[in-house]
Structures are given as structure tokens and as C-alpha cells.
Amino acid sequence: MSLLLHTSGLEVGHDRRAILPPVDLQVHAQQIWAVVGPNGAGKTTFVRTVLGLLPAIGGTVSQRPKAIGYVPQRTQIDAAVPARAIDLVRAGGERGWSFLNPIAMMRANPAVDRALRDTDTEALARVPWLQLSEGQKQRVLMAQALASQPDLLVLDEPTSAMDLHAERGIFALIERLRDSRGLGVLIVSHNLGLLGRYATHILFVDQDQGTVQAGPAEQVVCTDEFVLRYGTLLRAQEAP
Amino acid sequence: MTDDPSSLRAFFAAWELFGDPTLTGALCGALLGFLGVYIVVRRMVFLSAALSQAAGLGVAAAWYAQIAWSVPAAVASPTNGAAIFTVFAALALMGRRAGQALRSDSVLGLVYLVTAAATLAIGTRIVQEVQDIESILFGSGVAVAPGDFHLVAWMTLLLGLPHLWLHRGFAQIVLDRDSAQVRGLPVRTLDLALVLSLALAVSVSTRVLGALPVFAFTVLPAMAALRVAANLSQALVAAALVGAVSGFVGYLLAFSWKIPVGAAQTLVAAACFGLCAAVGLARRTVLVLQPRHVHGPQCGHALVAHGDHHDYVVDGRLQHPHEGHEDDHGALQD
């Protein structure tokens, strides 16, 4: 499996102050990495630093794929901007300076169509964003991320404010996309139950404990720091 | 029998006199309406107010430079003064962290207040030009010099065409700036291009039309368009049309009703907003009043088991009634 993302001693934080110990991480294709930790633990700060949206305090992101599909929190899409689902998905097809090329979007059409198909959002294409349900919005944002034909999919709390069945549907979709497109996935979520079912690896961060644990899910859930925070719930799930 | 001097026939009979100012209003309205969509959706409405105020200060400073320091009029022209001060204010507002600085109401308020106070302070030193400064701030000028009309026409062309070409890029930073940055779009360059083009449009328009209609053109047409447009592209076109109509019809009304041009153009733009708001409200009302399908034993949709509950099958997807709405439970699996 090819290496997609490599961080070496990456320190993340704000105002030149690191909030977590250095993070060494290697994300390969076909892996699903769950970024877990309590509220305010530094999960989003870590992800935004990896994406290049925040400057690193120390260390480096020594390898980052050319195309990253970023699925932001749904509240990040401004309700004041009129947009249909198809407008958002097409936006995902814009990369770099492609907007300078008048025919670039025509070239991106096959990727947009495939993204709509893979996320089962074709029927929603003409529906205004504000009229979509939470689950539909999430699938549209995933289609937007896929329209850029990424190697790595990064999702920030994709199932917040959803009922359990809709959450399951989103996680099942992520797993299906991982399999069909060979993606690596980095996902921030609080739903430990579903992460325990779908995640192959875990990055556990906790600003209060000053700890970072990264590795295969079955190893991380057994660490003292993880058990101190979450107990043995996930370890019990891993047992046959 | 003679025509009523305020009739439309009299107006068009004197088109040679009124053509330039009418078309100038329409062109400024179209360009500022187009740019205003980005301003309104990014909640930067007071950016244009601060920039137009800076343009006013630039005009005052240019006159002061001519009078107090004998700087040649060709160098310290009001147009140059407005452009320099507006661009400088725009760059200052961009700051080190563009996104945050532009959204900071307090910073915009500071620029607005400082430039307004400085304009008034300089105005006391150039008494003979105070009337002109007032016309710039409140837009009461009726005539537009041919040179100013050509300036506005070129500005509309030189800013409008690149914006039409680059609108997909500008749309990205409006829709979701972070995602655009992750996809490698030059968000900071686009921010800079947007603010500088707005600064140039505002400075020239303020110099020619006055601050009031310029502020109105950057806010009201966009607000109107956003009430009826399905997406950003439609909003840009609709806002340009509303701006053009406001500029043109506003001048006509000012002529007929003998009221200040800037006030008339602002009122027409406000009326367009009212009309579009009513259309938008009517559309939403129709949607709400449409009978909503309620799932039940006789609703016609198949009921299937799904995990520990049952869902209805609609167009190949599972719908689950939940607290007055339907949750989407994914595609029906074979």
C-alpha cells in the first residue's frame, strides 16, 4: 500500500505554542485513520495543520498527496450563499488555477458525475443546499471532495447532528469509497462505537493528558492513556 | 402646446445632455452590483462604505494638495486621489490575515470614522471646494463630464471582463475558503484581486456619482439578487441587471421628480430589493403550502425492514419518518 501522508515530529498549536506532543504518522492507501479525543483535545487543529490551513509549530508534513479531498463540517458552508448540490460538487472539481481555463469544468465533468454516482446524490443535484437533510448534505460534501479525484479523504466530524442510522450510512459509504477507490481516510469523529467498527488505525490525542498515541486500532485502544479516557469499551468490541 | 419640462419625452429629447450621466449610473450600477454579491455573501458590507469614504478623503486630499502645495492638477486630480486612498485603505484592510481582517467590523468602523473625520477636517481648509466634497459624499451631482463617462466605461470593461473570466475562482473563496485552499486554489491572491478591483470600482464611482449611490449599488442589488437566484452565477447576473436598472431608472426619476440623483438611484435599488424579496417570499410560501407527503399504511410506498426498524422505499431509497421529517437511511440494498 502506497504511503499517502507522513508527518515527522509534527507539532500543532496556536500562537507559536504547541498544544500536543510531536506526532509521527504514516497514512497509507486503504487505511481508515480515526482521530479521536475529547472536546478541545486538538483534533481539528491537527487536521487543519496537516491540510496546510494552519502553520506547523514544529516538525514537518514530509509527504502529502497532491489531491486531498477535504470534507469540512457542514456548518462551514455559508447559508447566505445560494447553491444547489451540483454547484457544490462542481466546485470540488476546481483545483489550483483551473478556474483560469474556461473549459476546465467540462473536463472535470466525468469526475463530477462519478462522484455523484458513488455518493448516490445524482437525484439531489438540482436541490438547493438549504433544503437537503443533514445526511444528504454530508453525502453532497463527500461528492464535492471526490470530484477532485483525491488519494486521501479527510473528514471533520462528518456525522455530527445525525441520527444513528444516518451515521451508520455515512460510515458505510466511507468504507465503500475506501474499497472502490483505494483511498486513505483520516476522519475526526466522536462516535467511538462506529469508529471501532470501521477504523483500521487510531490517532488518539488529548491536550489535557499531553499525550498522542498513533497506530493500529487494536493497539491504541489498549494503551493506558486511551483506557484512562474511554475505558475498555472499544477493547471489548475488538475481542472475538 | 409645450412638453412638460420634466416629462420622459423632454428627457429623451435632451439625451445629448442626459445620456452620459444616465449611462454612467447604469454602468456603475451593473459593475458594483456584480461585485456587491461577493461583498454581501462574505458579510463585508461595510467594506464598501469604508472604501467609498476613503475615496472621499482622497478627493479632498487631492484638492488640498493643489491649493496648499501647488501640486499640478494633472497629478493631484480628484480621480487619482480617490484611487490612491481607496487602494491604500483596501491594502490596509487586507492585513496580514486577509480573511479575518476583512470580516472585522471594528477595523472597518475605524477606517470609516478616521477617513470621514479627515475629510471634514481637510474640507475646512479648502472652503471653495466644500460644495464638491458634499456632492461626492451624498451624490447630488446631476451632470457627468464626458471624460468621467469614458473613465467609467473603461473601468467597467477592464474590471468586468476579468471578473467574468475569473468568477469561478472568486466563487470558490465565497463558497468554502478552506476547501478551496486545500485544493490548491490561490485564495490569498483571489482575495487581493477581489478587494483591489472593488477598491478601484468604488474609488472611480464615488468620484463620479457620490458615496451614497455607490454604497447602495454594492449592497442593494446583491441583496435583491440573492433573494431570487438559485446559485451564485445567477446571483451575479441578476445583481448586475438590478444595478444597471437602478442607475438608469434612478436618473430618470431624479429628472422627473426633481430629487437628488443619488437618492433616486438608491430608492430604485431599494424598490428592486423589495420586489425580489416579495418574489422570494412568495416562492417559499408556495413551497410551504404544497401538501406534504406523510408516510403511513395507505401512503403507497412499500414498507421494508431495515435493521431494528422499518423504512419506506421512495425512488429506491429508504426514508424513515422522524420528528416531523424524513431521515434518509441510504439506498435500498438488494
Side-chain angles (χ1 to χ4, degrees):
Chain A
M1 288 187 291
S2 58
L3 178 64
L4 298 176
L5 180 72
H6 186 193
T7 69
S8 307
L10 182 66
E11 292 181 273
V12 303
H14 305 281
D15 300 324
R16 299 179 185 177
R17 192 177 66 82
I19 59 172
L20 291 171
V23 180
D24 294 302
L25 188 71
Q26 292 189 21
V27 179
H28 291 81
Q30 303 267 6
Q31 290 179 343
I32 297 180
W33 279 81
V35 184
V36 300
N39 284 331
K43 302 185 295 294
T44 296
T45 304
F46 173 78
V47 166
R48 289 178 67 80
T49 307
V50 164
L51 291 171
L53 296 172
L54 286 176
I57 305 298
T60 58
V61 180
S62 51
Q63 182 161 340
R64 186 165 24 206
K66 253 188 175 178
I68 297 179
Y70 174 46
V71 184
Q73 295 188 20
R74 292 184 298 289
T75 51
Q76 203 164 311
I77 304 299
D78 194 334
V81 183
R84 303 161 302 178
I86 187 67
D87 300 316
L88 287 159
V89 179
R90 281 190 186 136
E94 298 282 9
R95 283 169 57 180
W97 294 81
S98 66
F99 61 89
L100 292 175
N101 183 350
I103 61 168
M105 278 318 292
M106 283 194 287
R107 285 191 192 146
N109 276 345
V112 169
D113 291 343
R114 186 182 171 206
L116 289 169
R117 212 167 39 243
D118 284 359
T119 53
D120 213 358
T121 49
E122 287 163 301
L124 305 174
R126 305 285 161 190
V127 179
W129 169 257
L130 289 177
Q131 290 179 18
L132 297 173
S133 72
E134 292 303 310
Q136 289 170 335
K137 282 180 180 174
Q138 195 57 51
R139 285 191 287 126
V140 167
L141 288 183
M142 289 173 71
Q144 182 191 54
L146 293 174
S148 64
Q149 304 185 71
D151 301 309
L152 178 68
L153 197 58
V154 179
L155 305 99
D156 192 357
E157 300 199 25
T159 58
S160 57
M162 282 188 196
D163 70 26
L164 183 61
H165 294 288
E167 274 192 279
R168 276 187 195 152
I170 293 298
F171 275 91
L173 174 60
I174 291 168
E175 188 178 52
R176 207 162 60 239
L177 293 171
R178 187 270 311 261
D179 294 340
S180 63
R181 292 179 176 239
L183 297 173
V185 178
L186 192 66
I187 180 169
V188 177
S189 177
H190 286 284
N191 192 325
L192 287 182
L194 287 173
L195 289 174
R197 157 76 179 76
Y198 291 99
T200 60
H201 293 71
I202 288 178
L203 171 66
F204 169 63
V205 297
D206 192 339
Q207 192 179 342
D208 295 339
Q209 292 189 55
T211 188
V212 167
Q213 301 289 331
E218 61 274 17
Q219 288 178 16
V220 173
V221 298
C222 294
T223 57
D224 293 342
E225 292 85 351
F226 191 91
V227 170
L228 182 66
R229 177 61 69 176
Y230 293 116
T232 56
L233 176 69
L234 284 185
R235 195 159 49 176
Q237 282 191 2
E238 291 294 324
Chain B
M1 204 171 105
T2 57
D3 278 345
D4 176 356
S6 63
S7 70
L8 288 182
R9 184 181 295 178
F11 178 86
F12 285 109
W15 181 251
E16 199 173 321
L17 182 64
F18 298 124
D20 281 359
T22 310
L23 292 176
T24 298
L27 288 174
C28 287
L31 180 64
L32 293 171
F34 187 96
L35 297 177
V37 172
Y38 300 118
I39 303 303
V40 171
V41 296
R42 292 185 73 180
R43 294 176 175 80
M44 294 161 26
V45 164
F46 279 98
L47 175 65
S48 62
L51 291 180
S52 53
Q53 197 65 52
L57 174 60
V59 172
W63 274 322
Y64 183 79
Q66 287 181 35
I67 294 165
W69 301 322
S70 303
V71 178
V75 176
S77 70
T79 302
N80 287 349
I84 290 168
F85 273 69
T86 315
V87 168
F88 180 77
L91 290 174
L93 286 168
M94 285 288 293
R96 192 170 60 85
R97 300 166 73 178
Q100 287 180 10
L102 288 176
R103 289 187 183 92
S104 169
D105 284 349
S106 53
V107 175
L108 293 176
L110 177 72
V111 171
Y112 181 88
L113 290 169
V114 169
T115 50
T119 305
L120 290 173
I122 292 176
T124 60
R125 303 297 174 93
I126 45 173
V127 178
Q128 65 269 41
E129 310 289 0
V130 165
Q131 184 63 36
D132 292 319
I133 289 180
E134 285 183 358
S135 78
I136 278 171
L137 295 181
F138 301 109
S140 60
V142 175
V144 169
D148 284 344
F149 169 66
H150 292 134
L151 179 67
V152 166
W154 276 110
M155 173 192 73
T156 306
L157 197 68
L158 293 177
L159 293 180
L161 287 179
H163 263 277
L164 285 175
W165 181 31
L166 302 175
H167 80 277
R168 281 175 20 224
F170 291 122
Q172 299 298 312
I173 56 173
V174 165
L175 272 173
D176 182 359
R177 199 173 189 278
D178 285 349
S179 296
Q181 191 173 341
V182 170
R183 291 196 306 275
L185 271 81
V187 292
R188 192 160 166 70
T189 304
L190 286 167
D191 265 335
L192 187 66
L194 182 60
V195 174
L196 284 181
S197 54
L198 180 73
L200 284 172
V202 165
S203 69
V204 172
S205 303
T206 304
R207 163 74 187 87
V208 175
L209 294 182
L212 176 65
V214 168
F215 187 33
F217 286 152
T218 52
V219 176
L220 296 172
M223 286 175 65
L226 290 168
R227 286 289 191 282
V228 293
N231 61 17
L232 205 59
S233 300
Q234 287 183 17
L236 290 167
V237 173
L241 283 174
V242 170
V245 167
S246 302
F248 193 97
V249 176
Y251 198 92
L252 277 178
L253 291 185
F255 175 84
S256 296
W257 296 349
K258 296 183 172 49
I259 57 176
V261 174
Q265 289 168 330
T266 301
L267 289 173
V268 172
C272 289
F273 165 69
L275 185 66
C276 291
V279 170
L281 182 65
R283 272 192 195 164
R284 287 193 294 279
T285 306
V286 168
L287 274 177
V288 169
L289 292 179
Q290 276 178 345
R292 181 174 162 270
H293 181 86
V294 178
H295 287 306
Q298 304 298 324
C299 78
H301 291 116
L303 189 65
V304 297
H306 181 217
D308 58 358
H309 63 285
H310 287 78
D311 290 336
Y312 291 91
V313 181
V314 180
D315 297 332
R317 299 193 65 80
L318 300 175
Q319 284 190 358
H320 184 72
H322 175 238
E323 293 181 356
H325 65 277
E326 281 74 41
D327 285 330
D328 181 70
H329 280 192
L332 176 66
Q333 305 294 323
D334 291 332

